[in-house]
Amino acid sequence: MEHVPPPAEELARLDRELAELDARRAQLLTRRAWLLAALRPTVPTAAPGWNPSGWGAPPGTPAQPWGQVPKRPSAPRGAQNVLLTLGGLLLTVAAIAFTLVSWGSMGIGGRSAVLAAVTLGALAAPAVLLRRGLAATAEALAALALVLTLLDVYAVHAVAAPDTDGLGFTALASAVLAALWTAYGLALGKLRLPLPAAVVLAQWPLLFWAWAVGAPAPVVGWALLATAVLDGAIALWGKGAGVRVTACVGGAVMGFSALMVGLALSLTAPGPLGAVAPGVLLLTASAAAVAGAWRAPKGFARTGGAVAGLAAVAAVGGVPAAALPAGWRVLAYLLCGLALTAVVRSRLPGHAARGVLAASGAVVAGALVWALPPLAAVLLGPVTVLSDVWAGTPDGFRSALGSTLPWSELAAAPVVLALVAGLLGAAYRWWPSVVRLAAPLAGPTTADAGPPAAPAAGAPGTDAPGAAGGAAPWPGWSGWSGRPGAGAGGRGRPSAATLRGVVGAGAVALGWGALLLAGALLDVPHALALAGETALVGVLLALAVRGGGAERGATAMPVTALVASVAGAVSAGLLSLASEGASYAVFGALAALFAGAALRAGAGVPRAVFAVAAVVWGTVITGLAGRSLGLAPHEASPLMLLVPALTVLLGARLRRNPVALPVELTGALGALVAVGLAVSDAPFLALVLAMCGVLAAGTAVRPERRPVAGYLAAALFVLATWVRLAASEVSFPEAYTLPVTVPALLVGAARRRRDPEASSWTAYGPGLAATLLPSLAVAWTDPDWLRPLLLGTAALVITLLGARHRLQALLLLGGTVLALVGLHELAPYVVQVAGALPRWLPPALAGLLLLVVGATYEQRLRDARRLKDALGRMR
């Protein structure tokens, strides 16, 4: 029994709790004030003996109001930098205008004197300004000096050497300027602009020289590569972040250009000997990337390793590829890409080795993408058979696909898929050996970082003092353990079981694709293709069923087998539609295979997918039977309900089994297809709707399906009645609906008398809808006034009864029918009035309405909520 204290005692308790809350709030405010002070640029020195980890603040720390963040003093340098930048730009524009426009009005001496004086002044001023602490002004004048030196070069070429080659002069000038600006930047080390500018200028000498002498493409590639190597050296040993970033960008652009030149030359080489020269260029680029990756940070090391691997594949693979036919060249590159996996046994640093492995994966992925179009044609090509079902057995597998792919140039596609599938299958089979080989790359190595220090006793993250023994020596090692079921590795790495499952899934998918492609390329007979695809579906189903009990984390392979089996079954089924006998044989075999898989599989999603697929194939067989009997689509629609009827019986057998609901829903979709086939003929549509109502009523016998199936059965029976009346051209449906409505309302009234809590929709909804809705449909097409008057009067009475007795079904059904009847009667007058109104008035009224509703939005929202609550309280 709960004790309720007297009011005075409870008030005293509340006062004590409020005082404690105030004290706690004051403590938090003090701590917050200290934290805000600690985040300022200048932190006051703590008093001696004061512990900053405690809940106090240093003496003299100003307290801040709750929720107020102290403003940092704004730096006045922002405005200063803007003014200096604008001033530098204006001076630069003036110098350019002077050089380009006013140059010709002065003699050679005046020209030289003006440019020399201005340039020397701009170069000397930053040194003086830096000594006085005006760094921003010095940077602005250095930028001006850079532009002036470029103008000096232009002036020298225009006046002193106008006959020299422009490209050669540009190459020489950019080299000289790069050297001068490098020396200038090193002399004035506090300036941040000269050295990056020198790096930018250093990108052009070799490239412009190669163009100036008309060098062939290989020489241009070497010039680009030499520039990229120079950029890499600057990025590794350069001074300042700006220099290194500029060198990285320049090296990336020049290196990529060099690789593209070498790759283009290798791909277009006339033979193996012609591919050697670009191969040497690509191999040199690969060696340079490896050298850079050896010393670069981990992100750049991985990128360098990937670039080195791709360049090596293009270099080595291009030589034999030049001697192979066009359809087989991808195989040479694939083999070279697979050879890159030997990096796991090399002494390359860990991050660089991972980059090389990423390059290997990229090459393999590219080869697989190349093989995807023919595989997609094999899987999706049979869709063309739908336009001419049972037209006759084609001559071969390839002719049934209707594809225009150049199959002779894709001969290596199944070989590529089979090769990768075999390697993945071998890795899956000998997974512990693969783990042992890849272990050095699983986590940090001595080349990347030293071993982590052991956590101190009681440190956060340890389960026991002193870091219990037996822990993994490297972070993430557990994720690469060869033991089955090893946990997920550190830093988000997947577990060993998951990785092995992914490898097995890849082997299954690629092996299946290789077999399909082989059949298409060999153009096997149509019957053999059907038998082979169906047999492959059976093998995949066996793998999917067998993998249902796989260990945790190793579900990728059975899931892949499941998806491939469904895709293969669809492809085989479409392919079989070329002939009648093949259709029955293939779809019958598929239904049997998936039904058997559903019986053998464990509980869960795979079993439900198998059962659903079996129902789909059975539905297709019933449709084929209607075509074999020569029935029209609407005549075959009742036959399509055979499988939905079986699913109802199967659902009653399975009861609450998780597979029951997917099977029944699939059967319901088959019934919906039957309804769609019967739409073209009203009598058959009424028959099919009535049969669907019978199936729904049979489902409603089960208590767990009654809430949905019961309403659905009633709606289907009523809809079947309406369709039948419309098909019979009955002009007075009330003669047929009222004899149903009156007993239904009496039964509903008796139900409400026994159970006052019963819903009005259950008691009166079906009976009222049976008459009101058909009568409303006829009233909308009736030109006479008597039927709308009688129907409107009846709807008004029903609406008033619903409001009086608080019955939701009567209120909504009657109000809806009354509103629609009124709209029907007023429609001609509304159209007449709308035609007489000005064209601008309806939009204006709509806009005014929106303004009013927007202005009173909250009130309208409250009104809508009150209406919803009022309807919700009704029965």
Side-chain angles (χ1 to χ4, degrees), residues 454-858:
T462 56
D463 297 330
W474 301 106
W477 179 263
S478 60
W480 292 82
S481 172
R483 298 179 320 237
R491 296 177 290 186
R493 289 198 181 105
S495 66
T498 302
L499 291 175
R500 187 180 186 188
V502 171
V503 170
V508 169
L510 296 178
W512 169 63
L515 291 175
L516 291 179
L517 267 180
L521 287 166
L522 294 175
D523 199 16
V524 298
H526 184 259
L528 182 58
L530 284 177
E533 285 205 37
T534 308
L536 282 177
V537 170
V539 173
L540 292 170
L541 286 175
L543 286 175
V545 171
R546 217 176 138 193
E551 60 190 12
R552 184 174 181 179
T555 58
M557 189 166 67
V559 169
T560 303
L562 172 62
V563 174
S565 65
V566 174
V570 172
S571 179
L574 293 174
L575 194 64
S576 70
L577 294 178
S579 64
E580 183 176 3
S583 300
Y584 283 109
V586 170
F587 279 105
L590 292 177
L593 287 173
F594 278 88
L599 294 176
R600 295 293 302 274
V605 175
R607 187 176 187 184
V609 173
F610 296 145
V612 166
V615 173
V616 171
W617 310 141
T619 305
V620 173
I621 291 175
T622 58
L624 296 176
R627 184 179 179 87
S628 296
L629 295 174
L631 302 177
H634 65 274
E635 295 173 339
S637 56
L639 185 62
M640 294 283 292
L641 295 177
L642 179 61
V643 173
L646 293 177
T647 59
V648 171
L649 297 176
L650 185 60
R653 172 75 176 174
L654 295 174
R655 304 294 293 178
R656 296 185 181 276
N657 192 296
V659 180
L661 181 59
V663 168
E664 291 179 87
L665 290 177
T666 308
L669 290 177
L672 187 61
V673 172
V675 171
L677 292 176
V679 166
S680 59
D681 189 272
F684 270 95
L685 178 60
L687 174 63
V688 171
L689 288 172
M691 295 174 69
C692 291
V694 172
L695 295 178
T699 305
V701 174
R702 297 159 53 193
E704 67 274 10
R705 300 284 186 262
R706 188 171 300 154
V708 176
Y711 288 112
L712 181 60
L716 287 171
F717 283 132
V718 171
L719 187 59
T721 303
W722 296 344
V723 173
R724 182 67 260 181
L725 293 177
S728 301
E729 299 182 353
V730 174
S731 57
F732 295 97
E734 293 81 5
Y736 298 91
T737 59
L738 283 176
V740 177
T741 295
V742 173
L745 293 178
L746 293 177
V747 172
R751 167 77 182 277
R752 288 271 299 174
R753 189 176 295 110
R754 290 195 308 270
D755 183 13
E757 298 297 324
S759 171
S760 61
W761 289 101
T762 304
Y764 305 118
L768 291 175
T771 295
L772 289 178
L773 298 182
S775 299
L776 177 64
V778 176
W780 267 73
T781 58
D782 191 352
D784 200 1
W785 59 272
L786 181 59
R787 185 189 302 276
L789 176 62
L790 294 177
L791 180 60
T793 303
L796 177 61
V797 173
I798 292 172
T799 304
L800 294 176
L801 288 175
R804 172 68 180 80
H805 297 286
R806 304 180 63 80
L807 298 176
Q808 190 181 97
L810 276 67
L811 180 63
L812 293 182
L813 277 175
T816 302
V817 173
L818 181 61
L820 291 176
V821 170
L823 179 63
H824 173 263
E825 295 302 310
L826 292 176
Y829 304 101
V830 172
V831 172
Q832 183 178 359
V833 171
L837 291 176
R839 294 295 180 90
W840 57 266
L841 189 57
L845 293 176
L848 182 61
L849 176 63
L850 290 177
L851 288 176
V852 172
V853 172
T856 60
Y857 176 75
E858 294 296 335

